Amino acid sequence: MVTDDTSHSEGPAGGWGSLAGIATTLLSERPSPAVIDTLTHQNKPRGFMCVSCAWPKPANYHPFEFCENGAKATLWELTSARCTPGFWDTHKVTPLRDWKDHDLEKLGRLTHPLRYDAASDSYRPVSWEAVFAEIGAILKPLDPDSVVFYSSGHAGLEAAYLYALLARLYGTNNLPQSSNMCHETTSVGLKKVIGSPVGTVVWEDLEACDAFFFFGQNPGTNSPRFLHPLQDAKTRGAKIVTFNPLREQGLVSFVNPQDAVAMATGHETVISDLYLQVKSGGDIAAMLGLCKAIVEADDAAQKAGKARVIDIAFIEQHTSGFDDFMAKIRYTPWVQIEQESGLSETDLRRAADIYMAAEKAIGVYGMGLTQQAEGHLNVAMLVNLLLMRGNIGRLGAGICPVRGHSNVQGQRTVGIAEKIELIPVDKLKALFGFEPPLKDGMNITAAAQALFDGRVKAFICLGGNLLRAVPDQTRMEAAWPAQDLTVMISTKLNRSHLYPGKTAFILPCLGRAEIDTQATGPQTVSIEDSFSHIHGSIGKRKPPSEHVKSELAIIAGIARATLPGQPKVEWERWTGDYALVRDLIEQTYPEDFRDYNARLYTPGGFYRGNPAHERIWKTETNKAIFTVPDVLSANGFEDRPGRYRLVTLRSNDQFNTTIYGYSDRFRGIEGTRDILFMNPQDIDAAGYSVGDVLRLVTDVEDGHRRELSGLVLTPYDIPVGTIAAYYPECNVLMPVTHHDRLSKTPASKSIPVRIEKPLTR
Ligand SMILES: Nc1nc2c(c(=O)[nH]1)N[C@H]1C(S)=C(S)[C@@H](COP(=O)(O)OP(=O)(O)OC[C@H]3O[C@@H](n4cnc5c(=O)[nH]c(N)nc54)[C@H](O)[C@@H]3O)O[C@H]1N2
Ligand SMILES: Nc1nc2c(c(=O)[nH]1)N[C@H]1C(S)=C(S)[C@@H](COP(=O)(O)OP(=O)(O)OC[C@H]3O[C@@H](n4cnc5c(=O)[nH]c(N)nc54)[C@H](O)[C@@H]3O)O[C@H]1N2
Ligand SMILES: [Mo]
């Protein structure tokens, strides 16, 4: 449904709309009453931890400690639908490429291990013994550097640790992860400037903070439980300032679906006190503007003999690079800041006033900052802004990257990393008696490039839907099947399964909400949330089929068939008792995981600590570093006539490539995802009409044509020159070379595109 009204949103976030959203999924997935009961155990001690996002689970939880999207994710996983081998009697693989992502996953849970049969172009059931034997036989003779072990942030800490160990025992650090497309900018950029690759904020900080500054993170859709502490913060008088090109409903207002009075009266909390619609890629300039206003206020305070606005004592003791940064601020004129950010000096000064009035401030960010060609500078600029007033490493203040997958951060903590500097090589040597590979492995960008060049022979995927999530999707799909082996450890059918390698397996695994029984009985897994707290998670539901294995058991099966036996490597024992794997994790990372098994069910999780939180800066200068941005725009390309900045968006009815449905109710879009959001002025200027069906073409000349047709032009409250459309549909448009300079994170929030109007509709 398309209207020509740009104020699309359907009232506040949360409220009755979110209950209706859960109800739609309930109806479509037909779960048993017991499944619905399972939801009440979600995110609570000795319950199971949500399979959706990584938002922390508080010690003092609500009766229903889940949100619309967490409930949808659980119901989607515990669906009564099954994709059994019988499906392949009537379906071939190639025609399924025309199916929508929604329809593929909607088939239900995978029930049997499957092997691709080229003769019939379909998958056939196969025994687990045969699976492992064949994978082992193919992997053994391959050069380990030609094999890639991808992991999406779904799997728990125990599986992730063993998966990384499998890759290293095999001989490679090729361990790219979904965070390479997501918060790698944080892992690299934040580490550089504060010495920690993760955020410093913990739950108590949310409760003590006076002002939240949101940059490119959308809590209403992507971390809805965040709206509760925000609502509490507003009630006690805290301020919220948002920088986002789109007016996102969850950052405008919220009705708490767990508050009966609010629900009955429709009482909504206004979330943002100030909402600034920055240009896509305009945040470096916007934050520089805030810093400039602060410096001017500080100058005035000094002249008047008043207390300084800048926390100079903190800066002198704890930071380096301040003088150079000050010079940059002083010499950058307001007109340039306005030009690059798309915001007025007046508005930026208003934001700065709120920042200066707050004793304690938190900087929150997400993909709007990380998925940019200069994403690391975005992150560094946010750190600059916080450092000006000593807003890192004290109660109520800090930096808060909001992570994506439920265990994406934790997987990195326990060894899923391609960079050797992140690996405790000596510990691994001592524990397992082998020589770990010492060469850096490939991240996603490098792996994609190597695949195009024919240098990758086998890809193992622990979860995820890499072929749909990755840039340059069309080129990936062309190159992928040439591999000797593709192995997909998955819960549901997805597009990545439809491009089988010469030998190809789909291996069905348990979901986190399911009971995982091994030799010593039912097992617990664990995850790390966005605030570096570790939680045990106990599955409650019956597995979808007796032929499904746990991720650990699948990893161990592959390992035993592929690697020579080693006395200190005991796959069978470890998979029989996951507590033993936790012991290994503790021995490898003793500081982070002290008393791991004993502390597993700590309410709210146990904190593994963060030096930057204590103002210990593990950087090159042993201080927090002020960074001088060498450019003011983060998008990495020039503006020119006819070129737009394309933002790729998530709807509230999807979890990454999992499309629950076609209702993006916060943006007023129903029944379709084939939408191009555009400012009405741009529509007029280009001579288009609302409802036109248009084609996007990537405006990069590298010999590859990238296009996406069939998008319906929809007016929206978005800055001139910035347009938006949905991810993952847009991934055919993203060149793999368009990424953050430092971390190589694909720049999915600002892709240079042109618009074409096809002659026929
Ligand atoms: N329901 C649901 N929840 C999810 C997910 C999901 O797909 N669905 N995905 C999970 C994952 S893996 C992740 S990483 C997180 C992602 O969660 P977020 O970090 O919130 O990611 P996005 O929704 O992609 O983008 C966030 C916002 O960035 C804004 N933006 C775009 N360009 C710019 C810019 O240049 N500057 C600024 N300031 N803002 C900009 C967009 O308008 C959008 O509102 O969510 C997790 N949770
Ligand atoms: N254009 C554009 N591209 C993007 C982004 C963007 O904003 N714009 N965002 C990027 C981001 S932030 C991310 S994180 C990536 C996401 O990329 P991925 O992590 O690769 O993708 P998902 O959609 O999360 O993967 C969904 C699949 O995971 C499997 N699965 C689900 N649960 C489990 C489980 O418990 N175990 C196992 N083994 N498998 C499971 C199911 O088969 C399901 O089909 O995409 C990136 N790509
Ligand atoms: Mo992500």
Side-chain angles (χ1 to χ4, degrees):
M1 184 194 74
V2 176
T3 66
D4 53 9
D5 166 17
T6 60
S7 59
H8 281 298
S9 97
E10 308 222 322
W16 294 109
S18 72
L19 292 187
I22 298 174
T24 309
T25 312
L26 269 174
L27 281 175
S28 84
E29 298 312 298
R30 286 177 282 116
S32 66
V35 166
I36 298 165
D37 181 58
T38 306
L39 280 175
T40 60
H41 297 283
Q42 190 152 321
N43 297 334
K44 295 184 187 166
R46 294 197 181 265
F48 75 96
M49 297 303 140
C50 186
V51 295
S52 186
C53 81
W55 185 250
K57 294 91 183 115
N60 302 317
Y61 43 84
H62 292 84
F64 299 102
E65 192 54 50
F66 58 83
C67 65
E68 172 182 359
N69 284 302
K72 275 188 193 168
T74 302
L75 296 172
W76 190 252
E77 176 167 305
L78 298 180
T79 176
S80 53
R82 298 286 177 267
C83 181
T84 63
F87 173 77
W88 301 103
D89 294 341
T90 49
H91 291 86
K92 288 183 185 296
V93 168
T94 310
L96 291 176
R97 293 176 186 171
D98 295 331
W99 283 33
K100 299 260 188 208
D101 300 291
H102 169 81
D103 298 326
L104 290 172
E105 284 212 24
K106 186 89 184 109
L107 292 168
R109 290 291 296 277
L110 295 159
T111 57
H112 288 68
L114 301 168
R115 184 187 193 283
Y116 180 66
D117 173 47
S120 61
D121 187 26
S122 71
Y123 280 97
R124 294 283 157 213
V126 55
S127 73
W128 282 104
E129 295 70 41
V131 168
F132 294 140
E134 199 170 355
I135 293 176
I138 296 174
L139 287 181
K140 271 185 204 162
L142 287 181
D143 171 2
D145 285 335
S146 70
V147 179
V148 180
F149 293 80
Y150 172 67
S151 112
S152 153
H154 296 275
L157 291 163
E158 296 79 359
Y161 179 85
L162 290 189
Y163 191 59
L165 182 63
L166 158 64
R168 298 204 165 91
L169 283 165
Y170 179 64
T172 180
N173 287 312
N174 287 341
L175 280 158
Q177 195 212 19
S178 53
S179 73
N180 291 162
M181 301 178 277
C182 176
H183 267 290
E184 186 67 18
T185 325
T186 299
S187 307
V188 174
L190 201 56
K191 173 103 177 57
K192 187 164 180 224
V193 293
I194 65 165
S196 167
V198 299
T200 65
V201 163
V202 294
W203 198 268
E204 294 73 45
D205 296 319
L206 300 182
E207 293 173 342
C209 172
D210 305 318
F212 293 83
F213 283 74
F214 272 84
F215 291 89
Q217 201 270 332
N218 186 15
T221 287
N222 297 323
S223 49
R225 287 185 303 110
F226 194 172
L227 297 178
H228 297 280
L230 288 182
Q231 193 189 27
D232 295 344
K234 291 298 300 210
T235 310
R236 52 160 215 275
K239 300 280 187 232
I240 296 177
V241 178
T242 295
F243 291 81
N244 196 313
L246 276 77
R247 267 187 90 76
E248 300 284 26
Q249 189 53 47
L251 286 160
V252 175
S253 64
F254 171 59
V255 172
N256 184 351
Q258 303 192 353
D259 177 339
V261 177
M263 286 294 278
T265 58
H267 175 78
E268 55 183 273
T269 305
V270 172
I271 299 285
S272 295
D273 298 273
L274 184 61
Y275 201 117
L276 299 180
Q277 289 179 264
V278 64
K279 275 189 204 179
S280 171
D283 301 85
I284 299 175
M287 291 187 264
L288 203 75
L290 262 68
C291 292
K292 193 169 175 76
I294 296 166
V295 169
E296 289 172 7
D298 189 65
D299 289 346
Q302 286 196 81
K303 240 189 217 151
K306 292 195 187 144
R308 291 192 66 171
V309 178
I310 289 173
D311 186 346
I312 200 70
F314 168 82
I315 289 173
E316 282 172 355
Q317 188 187 345
H318 283 287
T319 71
S320 62
F322 181 61
D323 292 343
D324 290 343
F325 180 62
M326 282 294 270
K328 175 78 183 177
I329 294 175
R330 290 191 191 282
Y331 295 120
T332 307
W334 275 108
V335 22
Q336 194 184 357
I337 290 171
E338 288 186 320
Q339 168 72 29
E340 299 286 357
S341 65
L343 300 171
S344 70
E345 178 183 338
T346 315
D347 279 341
L348 290 169
R349 285 187 184 281
R350 283 166 69 203
D353 285 343
I354 296 177
Y355 182 68
M356 289 185 281
E359 199 201 314
K360 295 161 277 181
I362 288 177
V364 181
Y365 70 93
M367 300 299 102
L369 290 199
T370 64
Q371 294 177 336
Q372 297 280 2
E374 303 288 349
H376 68 286
L377 283 182
N378 274 332
V379 173
M381 252 333 280
L382 184 51
V383 168
N384 290 342
L385 175 64
L386 293 168
L387 293 178
M388 301 274 289
R389 286 181 47 82
N391 272 319
I392 299 189
R394 64 186 168 91
L395 182 67
I399 188 149
C400 181
V402 182
R403 306 296 297 232
H405 283 298
S406 55
N407 192 37
V408 68
Q409 183 170 313
Q411 293 189 349
R412 306 282 280 179
T413 305
V414 297
I416 301 275
E418 75 286 358
K419 294 193 196 82
I420 194 66
E421 66 188 46
L422 302 174
I423 307 309
V425 171
D426 292 338
K427 286 262 166 41
L428 293 179
K429 248 191 218 179
L431 271 171
F432 304 109
F434 78 116
E435 291 296 328
L438 296 178
K439 197 167 90 183
D440 278 351
M442 293 189 265
N443 60 13
I444 289 289
T445 304
Q449 203 58 63
L451 196 77
F452 299 154
D453 300 345
R455 285 182 282 124
V456 179
K457 302 294 177 209
F459 231 108
I460 323 274
C461 291
L462 179 61
N465 185 4
L466 184 63
L467 280 186
R468 195 61 168 142
V470 78
D472 259 330
Q473 192 194 320
T474 315
R475 295 177 68 198
M476 284 292 282
E477 288 175 352
W480 191 264
Q483 297 180 86
D484 293 341
L485 175 70
T486 55
V487 179
M488 305 290 180
I489 304 169
S490 311
T491 51
K492 291 201 172 180
L493 193 66
N494 64 42
R495 197 172 168 90
S496 299
H497 301 135
L498 308 180
Y499 294 82
K502 289 178 197 151
T503 301
F505 295 102
I506 303 176
L507 306 181
C509 67
L510 290 173
R512 194 180 300 143
E514 286 148 2
I515 302 165
D516 180 351
T517 311
Q518 301 295 339
T520 58
Q523 303 297 316
T524 300
V525 298
S526 47
I527 58 118
E528 175 182 334
D529 67 29
S530 251
F531 289 179
S532 310
H533 283 61
I534 317 286
H535 308 257
S537 174
I538 308 179
K540 303 288 173 197
R541 301 301 314 146
K542 217 174 113 214
S545 128
E546 56 182 328
H547 305 289
V548 165
K549 279 190 189 291
S550 78
E551 286 164 325
L552 266 85
I554 296 173
I555 293 163
I558 295 175
R560 287 163 63 198
T562 308
L563 305 171
Q566 269 156 313
K568 291 179 165 178
V569 178
E570 303 179 88
W571 297 105
E572 200 161 348
R573 217 161 70 83
W574 297 338
T575 17
D577 182 359
Y578 297 179
L580 297 176
V581 183
R582 285 188 286 277
D583 287 341
L584 295 173
I585 295 176
E586 181 174 343
Q587 286 164 39
T588 315
Y589 307 95
E591 283 173 27
D592 296 298
F593 291 93
R594 181 177 47 81
D595 297 332
Y596 191 177
N597 277 305
R599 294 198 291 165
L600 199 55
Y601 303 109
T602 310
F606 70 84
Y607 188 36
R608 74 173 174 86
N610 177 345
H613 182 259
E614 318 303 327
R615 296 195 164 173
I616 297 165
W617 318 102
K618 297 197 165 177
T619 62
E620 266 177 20
T621 61
N622 290 319
K623 306 255 180 176
I625 297 175
F626 274 100
T627 308
V628 179
D630 49 2
V631 289
L632 287 199
S633 172
N635 61 354
F637 53 84
E638 301 286 316
D639 287 330
R640 52 164 98 128
R643 175 183 268 183
Y644 298 87
R645 302 174 178 194
L646 173 71
V647 175
T648 60
L649 290 177
R650 296 169 152 77
S651 86
N652 118 96
D653 217 7
Q654 77 183 85
F655 189 86
N656 299 331
T657 68
T658 296
I659 312 300
Y660 302 122
Y662 298 87
S663 163
D664 190 359
R665 72 168 196 285
F666 295 151
R667 302 196 184 103
I669 302 296
E670 295 293 334
T672 177
R673 294 172 53 85
D674 301 326
I675 296 286
L676 180 62
F677 298 101
M678 196 174 194
N679 183 297
Q681 277 182 48
D682 273 342
I683 297 180
D684 287 347
Y688 300 136
S689 308
V690 170
D692 277 353
V693 180
L694 300 175
R695 176 191 296 144
L696 292 181
V697 181
T698 308
D699 200 15
V700 167
E701 266 149 42
D702 63 353
H704 299 280
R705 178 167 168 95
R706 302 174 180 88
E707 61 169 59
L708 177 66
S709 299
L711 300 178
V712 178
L713 187 60
T714 304
Y716 207 78
D717 193 354
I718 185 171
V720 166
T722 298
I723 57 174
Y726 289 113
Y727 143 69
E729 288 81 349
C730 283
N731 287 41
V732 291
L733 295 169
M734 287 191 22
V736 76
T737 47
H738 183 52
H739 53 63
D740 174 38
R741 234 188 326 155
L742 200 63
S743 66
K744 311 278 193 284
T745 309
S748 333
K749 289 296 179 272
S750 202
I751 310 173
V753 293
R754 297 189 310 273
I755 301 178
E756 289 179 356
K757 188 171 177 180
L759 292 176
T760 50
R761 285 199 178 172

